[in-house]
Amino acid sequence: MDSSRGQSVADIALQERALIAPAAGRRAKVLDRLRLGDAAFRQLTRAAAIGVLVLLSAVIISLIRGSIPALKTFGFGFLFSERWNPVTEIFGALPAVYGTVITSFIAMLFAVPIGLMIAFFLTELCPQWLRRPIGIAIELLAGIPSIIYGIWGLFVFAPFLQETLQPFLIDTLGNVPFIGPVFGGPPYGIGMLTAGLILAIMVLPFITSISRDVFEAVPPVLKEAAYGIGCTKWEVTRNVVLPYARVGVIGGIMLALGRALGETMAVTFVIGNAHRISASLLAPGTTISATIANEFTEAVGDLYTSALIALGLILFVITFIVLAIARYLLLRIERRIG
Amino acid sequence: MAGQMAEQFLQSRYRRRQRRNTLATTLALAATALGLGWLVLILGALLWQGFSGLSLAVFTEMTPPPGSAGGLLNPIVGSLMLTALAIVIGTPIGILAGTYMAEYGRYDVLTTVVRFINDILLSAPSIVVGLFIYEIMVAPMGHFSGFAGGVALAVLVIPVVVRTTEDMLTLVPNALREAATSIGLPRSLAITRICYRAARAGMVTGVLLAVARISGETAPLLFTSLNNQFWSTNLNAPISSLPVVIFQFALSPYKDWQALAWTGALIITMAVLALSITARALVATGKQS
């Protein structure tokens, strides 16, 4: 290594002493120390970066290890069994998986169009000075902890639905052939539909903010060209902006889906925690995360605990795949925007 | 004749496009109003339900048994301790990892992989983190503890800090690094003395966002730090925390407990909103300077 590179700092380090004794040996010592510190710091940061990978692997390994007893007992049937009986120690994941998928589906059904429309409003319609405040307000929705949504859902939103939307759905759609059973049964207030709607509010900000960012990244030339041939604002967004930003929008939607699938507290409050698959969306059900949150501390026996951890493993695998796809898509659009 | 028909056709087509545009615009406005309205509804309900219960007693008294008056002192202190522990553990790891990604290995394969995995951890279900810490800490130790809760929260802190640290260090102009190197500063000192200083506002923002993220987290605490009805600052024993108390009290059949849950919810929300607004302000001033 070129020793002159470290010269001035080594001199500063020596400063006063250098005046008294400009001993070459002492200088070399200081340089060595700096070099050593440098290498140590580099390795330390590297170790921390690798630590992030270790963390993820540790999560996966510990979940797999914890779920072995349950998987050994029930095999692949665990995924497809509808029974969940802690007393006889027979466990199946199907009701929880079903609830997780259905509530997330309801959430996306509402959050995607609303989120995209807000992004349309923020990029094309909103006056410039209002964009930032409204954007921040929508993002604040994402900052509210999920337990707040839970308590609000249980005490405010569920009773409201019980008195308004649910009786309406039962009266109108409940008697229609084929789709009737989907809206059948008494209005409990809590249930799959309520949980799905709360999830929709919670993931809305993710869809909005990512869509807004990718909408804004569309080259102005493209939009100006479309406006130039007389397109309306909606046509520009629908036929120019949206196709161009497609990959990013889908990435944002997947990210929101990942959130919805794993969301725990808000759902636990309003899902009703019933281990069965009902045709009706108004009926109580359960999700993977709600089951774990409700039952883990009370689980007695290794098999019960292990079955809950196996549920956690299923949840982790599903969200991992969804989030990986989301990140891959967002990475692609990031590269294109450069 | 033919010209007239074509004219008519174009007219109706034009009107249809106009109508469609008006419809879409109206829907967009309605969607935005809905989103904002929801924020107002939730905050309104919180203030309405929680504000009446807000009193000095909330901050000075312990959680009561059902049917008697009390406060939220032990869960508030417990939450503060758990948050502090999580930040103390998570921040250094996060900053170091972010430093490697932005400084030493900006174009490494390792950095690309870590960034990908980190982004996934950022949105991973927090209840799974609770299960993980239960497996590696609570089960071997044989009891629930504040330590386990703090470590569980730290696992959520790390990805947030990694992300912001990397982003902020990447924004530091290379001229600063070159200047530092030209006076012979070793790389490690250039990073800690120059780059960290330049990126300070952004890095602090990351920590604030991490605090905001974990202060309302309930799922990872349910079976790590559990809960404690009594005054305890022992991190080696179960410890009370605001989110878990809210969960327990809100789902109880007792009116006083439910009222306290609302008050706790109000406290957490205000804290989180204050943190995220401060973080935003910091970023805004950081960008200007």
Side-chain angles (χ1 to χ4, degrees), chain A residues 176-188:
Chain A
V176 179
F178 296 116
I179 62 163
V182 178
F183 299 100
Y188 289 103

Side-chain angles (χ1 to χ4, degrees), chain B residues 158-223:
Chain B
I158 292 173
V160 181
V161 177
V162 169
R163 183 69 195 265
T164 41
T165 306
E166 195 210 348
D167 286 353
M168 292 304 146
L169 284 179
T170 311
L171 289 180
V172 172
N174 264 334
L176 279 180
R177 295 189 183 92
E178 285 156 10
T181 310
S182 74
I183 60 161
L185 215 55
R187 193 78 187 268
S188 59
L189 287 182
I191 293 169
T192 50
R193 299 287 160 82
I194 309 290
C195 296
Y196 279 179
R197 209 164 282 187
R200 193 166 48 195
M203 288 161 70
V204 172
T205 304
V207 177
L208 285 181
L209 286 177
V211 174
R213 163 90 203 268
I214 61 170
S215 50
E217 276 293 350
T218 321
L221 296 178
L222 286 174
F223 25 85

